[in-house]
Amino acid sequence: MLNQDLGRGRGVYISTYGCQMNTNDTERMLALLEMMNFVPVESPDRASLIIINSCSVREKPVHKVRSEVGHYKDWKAKNPDLRIGVGGCVAQQEKAKLLKDIPVLDFAFGTDAIDQLPEIVARAYESKEKQVSARFENDKPYSIETMVRNPGVAAFVNITKGCDNFCTFCVVPFTRGRERSRSLKELVTDIKSLVARGVREVTLIGQNVNSYKSECGTDFANLMRTLAEETDIQRIRYTTSHPKDFNQELVDISAKYRSKICDYIHLPAQSGNTEVLRRMNRGYSREEYLDKVAMIRQGIPGVVLSTDIIVGFPGETEAQFEDTRSLLETVRYENIYAFKYSPRPFTKAARYTDQVPESDSKRRLQILLDRQREIAFELGEPYSGQTYDVLFEVKAQIPDQIQGRTTHNKLVYAVGPDSLIGQTRRVHVTKAFPNVLHGEILNQNAGALL
Ligand code: 5AD
Ligand code: SF4
């Protein structure tokens, strides 16, 4: 029997690396541990239980875990009650090997083992044996309830887990397993209950949200339609969508329910060169990607786009890199997340023999970032003087100000009372920076706008 009181008098600290999936997983871990009366603490030196929720998508992930654990190593001698564990993708990838390599660790649990955390932690306290739980639950339907302890205005909701795309650079299919979708019914119920708890905006998350397929045959476009029609959620965002699965139907539904479905789409290109895309196994050419962009912009005028780019993918020539550079000029994204390629275990590209020298990747990355800074500046200017609906989410760090976002995911600061948090107001933009807008609330005393 699980000791539900195991956490009494014990603090828990979780450090989180990586994507929104991990952020959401951390929240779930904390919710589960709070049920055992563990108390979340702000710094690791006050904790009896330390968990590192790791990411292995890029660059030296095991090294990062090792160096963080290095800080805690000596604490164990002083505090025999301290238990240290690793979750997330590194744990999934390394399994028992991680515990062998870093002896101070007590347990490791994979991405599909989060709901077993209470048992794993209990065993870590009750037995001297190291605990490893890293099996994929590929055969079970993906069914969970979103766990948020104190939901704010915006919440993340997992709609799929895993990925079947096997892009040749990416470790995710190996660390998150096969793609599974939650049922439509479960998602509607989940989001209705979040709305009842005060949530106004959800971001649907998954490695590849638009390949969502519920067992009743519903696809992503239909999921969006259903959520827009059957729930009172005010705003729906999603990330990450895959260009190959972005279809006209999704564009049409986004246009039809524009008041709810936000005008911001993260559409990872990874490269602007067709041959590189082929070697990445992305499932589209440069032209097909640009056709998707044109389809989206035609159906949803004013939509804001962002992307992910990898430079220095094995075999990438200067000319091929130039195609990526020109993609930025053609699409003019408001934001890019650009990375140097890093070889990942198990992946096909790690075995490609034509790895690009670090110095070339570094230079190419800098070229993209420098140019993108200029583009973002140019695109940011026209926001000044315009008026937008802003859903206010939290108090800002700046005194007397609150912060929220436009439908385009632009961060907005304005002077206003805390009572407007959770409400939507018209805001006149007085100053526009590439990533932040400052504005004045026009209808402060108006009733909540939808
Ligand atoms: N090297 C560099 N970047 C990578 N990404 C994923 N795998 C790698 C890798 N091996 C980037 C991709 C992806 C984002 C989440 O991380 O751009 O879209
Ligand atoms: Fe990785 Fe490609 Fe799946 Fe995205 S779609 S998680 S990049 S394999």
Side-chain angles (χ1 to χ4, degrees):
M1 257 285 286
L2 189 65
N3 177 359
Q4 293 291 356
D5 216 25
L6 189 78
R8 192 167 297 281
R10 288 177 165 137
V12 51
Y13 176 85
I14 305 186
S15 65
T16 310
Y17 295 85
C19 62
Q20 278 147 347
M21 213 73 75
N22 266 18
T23 310
N24 220 26
D25 288 349
T26 291
E27 178 58 31
R28 189 172 192 83
M29 291 174 203
L30 288 171
L32 289 164
L33 292 168
E34 271 196 4
M35 287 179 198
M36 298 170 82
N37 288 314
F38 280 92
V39 178
V41 291
E42 294 294 317
S43 78
D45 56 347
R46 293 175 43 214
S48 296
L49 175 63
I50 299 177
I51 296 174
I52 298 167
N53 189 7
S54 62
C55 166
S56 61
V57 85
R58 290 179 298 272
E59 291 176 293
K60 304 196 180 89
V62 182
H63 176 80
K64 279 187 196 159
V65 171
R66 193 189 297 280
S67 89
E68 179 167 346
V69 170
H71 293 116
Y72 310 144
K73 207 168 69 216
D74 298 339
W75 300 358
K76 268 204 151 170
K78 285 183 233 142
N79 178 7
D81 196 48
L82 180 62
R83 297 291 182 277
I84 306 176
V86 177
C89 291
V90 175
Q92 187 65 53
Q93 181 184 302
E94 303 289 312
K95 305 188 181 68
K97 187 172 177 296
L98 192 67
L99 300 183
K100 245 197 195 152
D101 290 353
I102 312 179
V104 73
L105 292 176
D106 298 294
F107 61 97
F109 60 107
T111 48
D112 248 2
I114 294 169
D115 287 355
Q116 297 161 33
L117 187 60
E119 288 87 12
I120 297 168
V121 168
R123 285 200 301 269
Y125 273 101
E126 284 153 13
S127 120
K128 288 230 152 32
E129 301 252 312
K130 304 222 173 213
Q131 308 295 322
V132 184
S133 187
R135 268 207 357 240
F136 283 130
E137 303 282 358
N138 281 337
D139 301 331
K140 283 195 193 154
Y142 180 30
S143 171
I144 55 165
E145 184 197 341
T146 299
M147 280 188 172
V148 213
R149 289 161 305 151
N150 303 302
V153 174
F156 291 112
V157 173
N158 292 69
I159 65 163
T160 63
K161 67 170 182 177
C163 182
D164 292 346
N165 283 322
F166 291 91
C167 298
T168 57
F169 52 81
C170 185
V171 77
V172 166
F174 305 96
T175 58
R176 295 246 169 204
R178 299 289 55 77
E179 184 178 281
R180 292 285 176 271
S181 300
R182 292 176 66 192
S183 79
L184 178 68
K185 204 165 147 239
E186 182 178 283
L187 283 167
V188 171
T189 311
D190 205 16
I191 289 172
K192 279 185 174 170
S193 91
L194 288 171
V195 171
R197 295 173 71 197
V199 171
R200 300 282 170 261
E201 173 183 306
V202 285
T203 303
L204 310 178
I205 59 173
Q207 304 298 341
N208 181 2
V209 283
N210 50 348
S211 66
Y212 171 87
K213 200 142 207 57
S214 107
E215 75 273 14
C216 62
T218 293
D219 64 6
F220 185 65
N222 218 336
L223 166 68
M224 298 292 275
R225 184 214 313 270
T226 309
L227 295 179
E229 282 179 359
E230 293 185 15
T231 75
D232 290 328
I233 195 75
Q234 281 177 22
R235 282 183 171 181
I236 308 171
R237 301 185 186 279
Y238 54 88
T239 196
T240 297
S241 53
H242 196 303
K244 77 177 167 51
D245 296 316
F246 218 107
N247 55 24
Q248 185 68 50
E249 199 193 351
L250 179 55
V251 172
D252 293 345
I253 285 180
S254 305
K256 180 167 177 198
Y257 296 99
R258 218 167 165 187
S259 61
K260 287 195 169 188
I261 300 174
C262 289
D263 285 353
Y264 169 77
I265 297 169
H266 183 62
L267 197 67
Q270 311 296 0
S271 166
N273 176 271
T274 296
E275 173 56 17
V276 174
L277 289 167
R278 191 189 62 73
R279 283 162 50 92
M280 287 177 163
N281 191 31
R282 287 293 289 174
Y284 51 85
S285 63
R286 175 189 175 94
E287 289 67 34
E288 283 162 342
Y289 181 86
L290 288 172
D291 285 349
K292 297 277 165 125
V293 169
M295 171 182 84
I296 292 168
R297 285 194 163 147
Q298 198 188 15
I300 318 167
V303 68
V304 160
L305 296 178
S306 64
T307 202
D308 288 346
I309 300 278
I310 296 177
V311 294
F313 183 77
E316 185 189 65
T317 63
E318 280 303 317
Q320 289 171 337
F321 167 69
E322 281 306 314
D323 282 347
T324 298
R325 194 207 308 229
S326 86
L327 189 74
L328 300 197
E329 306 299 336
T330 309
V331 179
R332 289 175 67 81
Y333 301 99
E334 292 226 351
N335 210 347
I336 68 165
Y337 301 87
F339 313 102
K340 286 181 290 185
Y341 168 75
S342 78
R344 302 286 83 216
F346 320 117
T347 60
K348 204 167 168 190
R351 297 194 298 272
Y352 291 172
T353 49
D354 42 3
Q355 302 287 323
V356 170
E358 163 78 15
S359 54
D360 286 345
S361 303
K362 205 171 158 192
R363 178 175 44 78
R364 291 174 192 172
L365 180 66
Q366 201 53 53
I367 290 171
L368 289 192
L369 296 178
D370 288 347
R371 180 62 188 127
Q372 180 57 31
R373 197 168 306 117
E374 293 166 0
I375 294 175
F377 198 80
E378 289 156 20
L379 293 177
E381 269 186 350
Y383 282 90
S384 186
Q386 303 293 318
T387 302
Y388 298 100
D389 282 344
V390 174
L391 171 58
F392 286 101
E393 290 171 35
V394 281
K395 261 168 100 76
Q397 299 283 9
I398 316 163
D400 302 326
Q401 299 212 11
I402 50 178
Q403 75 182 57
R405 279 175 297 153
T406 67
T407 178
H408 320 99
N409 211 23
K410 281 276 183 190
L411 186 61
V412 180
Y413 289 107
V415 172
D418 297 359
S419 58
L420 290 188
I421 290 169
Q423 304 214 16
T424 303
R425 288 290 183 275
R426 295 294 288 171
V427 173
H428 177 76
V429 176
T430 49
K431 221 173 186 150
F433 297 99
N435 295 317
V436 181
L437 307 176
H438 290 264
E440 282 166 5
I441 301 172
L442 296 180
N443 54 344
Q444 189 146 313
N445 298 320
L449 297 171
L450 281 190

